[in-house]
Amino acid sequence: MAAVIEIENLRKTYFSLLHGKRVALNGFDMEVAAGQVHGFLGPNGSGKTTTLRTLLGLARADSGRMSLFGQPVPEALPAVVGRLGAIVESPQFFRNFTGRRTLALLARAGGVPDARVDQVLELVGMRDRGNEKVKTYSLGMKQRLAVASALLKSPELLILDEPANGLDPAGIREMRDLVRGLAAAGATVLVSSHLLDEIEQICDSVTIISRGRRVAAGPVADVLASQDKGEHLVRVRDDDRDRAGELLRAAGLTVATRDDRLVVGGVDDAARISELLGTGGVWLSELSPLTPDLESVFLTITGTTPEAGSYRPVDESRDEPWPALTTPTATTGPAAPAAANEELSQ
């Protein structure tokens, strides 16, 4: 597939009297293929917003190469800007305008037919709220309005910076369905978000940035597989945790305790656990495989986790992270590094 976004060796440095020199982007690379939903991930201050602002001509890079639809930017932005829609940081609207009037003004300024206003209000779930003033909207409703404004031109490329900000669970699900629907219709979507479980569900590929450099990129499945240490982890719940731990350790398995459950490593065949515990008179109530998820991979790669690695249950994406099992008990790694100044380095 052709690349809609290409960024190569992008560098950007900020200067201030208070903080001096801050390197926001340090040779950053990214490529987004046509028709994909691409997740753009990184800790606060890692350079995500600086990247998007630079790509859209809102900030000037020190050096590097960027292109949109194969055209060099910022030079060719006037030629391609009609093919994209974007939300970067927190959009601002006139508080005393209604949502519908806001979109109507933007539509006319962009040469978009008025009929498109009702279509985008429907798409973002604001059909019944369009005639209310912006000052009455919640944060989530303002975010919906921002997404609606980005959709006015039926863009081939949609860039969304934290699109689920302020949305309730139902709104997050609607946003997920909207993004996937746009991709199914042929659009390319770049999503920057802190909701890693959402990124894992909706994205075809991801780029992870840390301290201004790309630290991982590729299809979601490949990025997850790259951090799978082959420990063959299994979660165990039974009627006698202590006895179960003794039996499993005696059999040479690596065991860590987590609340009323055990996390067992080195298990090639889960049936072996059933056999070991059943023979010892301990009866299982749960036996589940554990694999890396995007959140644990993100925390490990970017160095923002207090543990050497994290896993979570395959079927319980909102469970707390699990410790890596290199020893019978969880180990604690270095503390997370302090985030860079948000204003200067994001």
Side-chain angles (χ1 to χ4, degrees), residues 10 16 29 62 131 188:
L10 194 64
S16 74
D29 302 313
D62 299 334
N131 291 324
T188 303

Side-chain angles (χ1 to χ4, degrees), residues 63-279:
S63 62
R65 184 184 69 85
M66 300 178 293
S67 70
L68 291 171
F69 303 104
Q71 299 295 314
V73 292
E75 297 85 357
L77 267 176
V80 300
V81 70
R83 302 170 64 183
L84 63 91
I87 304 173
V88 180
E89 298 179 301
S90 300
Q92 301 296 318
F93 301 105
F94 291 114
R95 288 170 46 81
N96 288 319
F97 283 15
T98 66
R100 186 182 302 278
R101 185 183 180 193
T102 297
L103 294 175
L105 289 173
L106 292 172
R108 291 167 192 167
V112 176
D114 289 344
R116 181 61 179 165
V117 172
D118 288 327
Q119 294 173 3
V120 296
L121 285 172
E122 180 75 27
L123 280 173
V124 301
M126 288 186 61
R127 180 183 58 185
D128 299 329
R129 302 288 302 275
N131 291 324
E132 299 176 17
K133 290 185 176 181
V134 171
K135 65 182 180 182
T136 68
Y137 289 168
S138 65
L139 176 61
M141 291 302 297
K142 292 176 182 176
Q143 196 70 9
R144 289 173 186 259
L145 182 61
V147 174
S149 69
L151 292 172
L152 278 171
K153 293 182 289 185
S154 301
E156 299 172 49
L157 168 63
L158 185 62
I159 298 175
L160 301 176
D161 189 7
E162 299 292 344
N165 186 29
L167 296 182
D168 59 19
I172 291 173
R173 179 165 185 166
E174 290 172 3
M175 189 64 65
R176 180 199 313 159
D177 293 341
L178 172 62
V179 168
R180 290 306 314 175
L182 291 169
T188 303
V189 186
L190 175 63
V191 183
S192 170
S193 177
H194 287 95
L195 300 179
L196 301 183
D197 54 343
E198 284 298 313
I199 290 292
E200 187 170 354
Q201 290 186 62
I202 68 173
C203 288
D204 304 298
S205 57
V206 294
T207 296
I208 301 178
I209 182 174
S210 181
R211 299 178 181 89
R213 296 186 66 88
R214 186 179 72 184
V215 293
V220 173
D222 291 353
V223 172
L224 295 179
S226 72
Q227 295 300 305
D228 190 343
K229 303 302 189 296
E231 295 168 303
H232 303 293
L233 302 182
V234 174
R235 182 181 65 181
V236 175
R237 185 179 298 175
D238 50 64
D239 61 357
D240 189 343
R241 186 190 64 187
D242 293 338
R243 174 63 177 157
E246 292 175 3
L247 291 170
L248 295 172
R249 290 188 183 96
L253 298 175
T254 304
V255 182
T257 301
R258 178 78 177 195
D259 299 326
D260 62 337
R261 292 162 286 187
L262 300 176
V263 180
V264 185
V267 182
D268 294 322
D269 183 1
R272 185 184 177 202
I273 294 180
S274 299
E275 180 182 2
L276 289 169
L277 297 184
T279 302

Side-chain angles (χ1 to χ4, degrees), residues 306-308 329-335:
E307 296 176 342
T329 57
T331 57
T332 301

Side-chain angles (χ1 to χ4, degrees), residues 24-43:
L25 296 171
N26 187 18
F28 177 68
D29 302 313
M30 181 165 66
E31 184 173 308
V32 179
Q36 287 195 344
V37 179
H38 190 90
F40 188 22
L41 311 176

